[in-house]
Structures are given as C-alpha cells and as structure tokens.
C-alpha cells in the first residue's frame, strides 16, 4: 500500500460520476465501494482505512484482479514528492491535503464511456445518462454491496442498446455513435493501459469523436497520469488563470503557459488548484443545458 497519509475520498473521488453513481458508493463508516468490470469479469471492491491501516475486500469473478491492483488504485505508483510547488496557493493546498494521490485503475473503457457522455453537456445531464444506462443494462454488483450498485455493461451490451434508449437517457446521436465506435474496438483501447499516457491518448483519439479533452480525462484515471492536463474545458482555464494569475478570462493557451513550470505534473497542479477552493466569483448566469463544448 502507499506510504504516508492516504485520503480515500481524494484518491478515489475522481472515479465517482455524480452523487448517485451506481458503480460507486461511499458509506457512513468511511468505506468506499466500487463495482467494475475487470478483464476477469465483474467485481465489487470495498476499501476501508482505519488507524493508518487500509483494508480491501472483493467479490465476484474480478475479485482477485481488483485486490492484486489495489495498491495502484490507491496511488502506490504515484510519486507526490515529484511535485515542487512554485506558488503559495499550491504549497498551502498540498500541505492541507497530504492524503492526495493519483489513482490508477488499469481500465480504459470504464472511464472512457462516462467521459464521452460528458461531452458538450452539463455534468448533471451526463451523470443522469450514466446512471440510467448503467442501472438498466449493467449487472448487479457481486457480493454484499450496498443496494442498487451495478457493474457497467459489457462492450457488446453497450453496442446493443437501442436508439430510443439513448434518446430516453438524453444522449444525442453524436455521443451515442462515439460510444458505439469505441466499444467495437474495446480490446484495442484497453491495451492502451500498457502504453505511456501520451501514446494512450493518441490511440484513443484515433476513434472519431474522441479528442484531447476526453482522452486526458481517461488517462488521468486509467494511468494515474500526473501530466495529463485537461484542455478544451469550459471552466478549468479560468479557474487556473484566476488562482495563479488573477486572470479569470484565461483560455487554454494561457492556462498551459501558467502550468508550464509544472511540466510533468500539470494534472496534479490542476487538482490542487481545484481542491484549494479558489475559484473566480460568478458574474454570469449558469451555462444553459447542452452548451458546454468539449471533446
């Protein structure tokens, strides 16, 4: 297991797609439950931390696979010491959040499909679509998982979802078609976990409809990639610009320039900025549904 402080919520939180994600559950006793589809089959994982000791339990055909990779899931392959803060905000946030590590799931499709669903829509719309489709077409989580937890559908099941069900979930034809193209080459995409993050992103982007935003969101989770900064996001450049330079109008080019001193660790820098809570004050109405553009 990783040495040093470990905050399960910070480490595993990026895997949660909304408060009602059927594949993820945080329970009052501090445990985190995760239902996923591994190369060995469906599996449920429960992780708990108490008194400095981390314990993992797993059920289903994928149980052994999940337990074998638990250390990497909790950030054992991550090296927080490689990050050298050059801004007071980043240094302070790192000090206040010593349990932050970057998770590595070793799985591509489970992060790719919800990331595609998040293209060009609000997060609430994307979370709803993920929730409805996983509950309807996924498998019940193995073992004593909390109620209504599901493993996401297998690639073939995604491919067989009828068009009206995509529509009912609020997924437009473009995003649905991108998912269908991805699941047809699921095995090739899963092979990307053995590549360096940049090469993995390039492989993902071969699929029409998958661009830099989506591929970065995937390798941040599948690879624990510390430098996979998200470009093409509606809000992130302004947040980074405001935090580091007081510039709320920053675009991707400005954001990348501000993050340049953290080359190799730009994703970690962005995570710390988001965790700092320093965001520009709102000065316009919330973006209307369906107006967020990113690939």
């Amino acid at each position: 297991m990783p040495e040093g402080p470990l905050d399960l919520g910070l480490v595993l939180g990026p895997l949660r797609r909304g408060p009602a994600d059927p594949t993820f559950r945080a329970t009052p006793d501090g445990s985190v439950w995760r239902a996923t589809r591994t190369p060995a089959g469906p599996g449920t994982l429960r992780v708990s931390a108490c008194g400095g000791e981390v314990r993992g339990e797993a059920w289903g055909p994928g149980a052994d696979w999940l337990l074998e990779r638990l250390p990497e899931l909790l950030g054992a392959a991550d090296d927080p010491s490689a990050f050298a803060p050059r801004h007071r905000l980043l240094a302070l946030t790192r000090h206040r959040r010593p349990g932050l590590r970057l998770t590595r799931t070793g799985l591509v499709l489970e992060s790719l499909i919800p990331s595609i669903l998040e293209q060009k829509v609000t997060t609430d719309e994307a979370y709803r679509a993920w929730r409805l489709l996983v509950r309807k077409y996924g498998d019940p989580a193995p073992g004593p998982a909390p109620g209504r937890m599901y493993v996401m559908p297998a690639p073939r099941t995604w491919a067989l979802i009828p068009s009206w069900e995509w529509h009912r979930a609020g997924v437009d034809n473009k995003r649905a078609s991108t998912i269908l193209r991805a699941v047809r080459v699921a095995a090739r995409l899963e092979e990307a976990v053995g590549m360096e993050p940049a090469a993995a992103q390039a492989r993902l982007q071969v699929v029409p409809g998958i661009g830099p935003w989506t591929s970065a969101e995937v390798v941040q989770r599948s690879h624990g990639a510390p430098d996979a900064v998200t470009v093409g996001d509606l809000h992130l450049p302004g947040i980074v610009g405001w935090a580091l330079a007081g510039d709320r109008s920053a675009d991707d080019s400005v954001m990348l320039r501000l993050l340049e001193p953290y080359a190799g660790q730009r994703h970690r820098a962005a995570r710390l900025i988001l965790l700092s809570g320093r965001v520009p004050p709102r000065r316009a109405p919330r973006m209307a549904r369906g107006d967020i553009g990113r690939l």
Side-chain angles (χ1 to χ4, degrees):
M1 295 298 174
E3 297 181 0
L6 180 67
D7 187 318
L8 290 180
L10 289 181
V11 176
L12 300 179
L15 304 180
R16 186 177 198 167
R17 305 291 180 154
D21 184 349
T23 71
F24 190 104
R25 192 73 49 83
T27 52
D29 64 357
S31 298
V32 173
W33 293 77
R34 170 170 151 76
T36 189
R37 187 170 297 279
T38 77
T44 301
L45 175 69
R46 176 181 180 262
V47 187
S48 58
C50 182
E53 180 180 347
V54 178
R55 182 183 180 188
E57 302 171 272
W59 299 266
D64 290 343
W65 191 95
L66 288 168
L67 291 175
E68 180 181 345
R69 287 158 181 79
L70 180 58
E72 287 194 352
L73 183 74
L74 298 179
D78 185 35
D79 182 13
S81 67
F83 180 74
R86 301 188 181 187
H87 191 284
R88 183 176 181 276
L89 178 71
L90 293 174
L92 184 61
T93 306
R94 187 176 71 164
H95 176 73
R96 290 176 173 173
R97 302 283 192 161
L100 172 65
R101 288 178 175 270
L102 302 182
T103 186
R104 177 187 171 93
T105 66
L107 298 166
V108 170
L109 218 63
E110 71 161 24
S111 292
L112 177 59
I113 291 177
S115 294
I116 293 171
L117 290 174
E118 291 174 11
Q119 294 175 356
K120 295 189 176 182
V121 297
T122 65
T123 52
D124 286 346
E125 289 176 285
Y127 291 162
R128 174 183 177 273
W130 173 249
R131 182 173 67 250
L132 292 177
L133 293 169
V134 171
R135 284 180 177 168
K136 187 172 182 67
Y137 293 100
D139 300 317
R148 302 204 71 186
M149 284 195 72
Y150 291 85
V151 175
M152 79 166 196
R156 177 170 172 77
T157 304
W158 285 108
L160 295 176
I161 295 176
S163 59
W164 60 86
E165 292 289 358
W166 291 105
H167 179 73
R168 184 174 298 172
V171 182
D172 58 79
N173 183 64
K174 184 173 183 179
R175 286 179 294 148
S177 296
T178 300
I179 291 173
L180 294 177
R181 286 191 290 266
V183 297
R184 290 189 189 109
V185 292
R188 292 283 291 162
L189 297 184
E190 292 292 355
E191 289 173 0
V193 296
M195 302 177 176
E196 291 298 315
Q201 284 192 251
R203 173 167 290 195
L204 291 173
Q205 291 177 38
V206 169
V207 179
I210 298 177
W213 183 91
T214 306
S215 65
E217 290 287 307
V218 173
V219 299
Q220 288 166 7
R221 296 165 173 85
S222 62
H223 290 65
D227 197 48
V229 62
T230 303
V231 296
D233 192 86
L234 180 66
H235 303 292
L236 186 61
I239 293 173
V240 172
W242 179 257
L244 299 184
D247 180 7
R248 65 184 299 162
S249 64
D251 58 13
D252 277 338
S253 63
V254 173
M255 177 181 72
L256 292 175
R257 176 174 57 78
L258 292 171
L259 292 176
E260 189 174 347
Y262 306 102
Q265 295 285 319
R266 293 177 299 173
H267 170 51
R268 192 189 310 275
R271 280 287 312 274
L272 288 170
I273 289 170
L274 292 171
L275 289 171
S276 75
R278 182 172 172 77
V279 297
R282 189 178 299 280
R283 64 181 181 185
R286 292 175 65 92
M287 185 64 68
R289 291 165 67 93
D291 283 350
I292 297 177
R294 52 195 177 189
L295 293 176

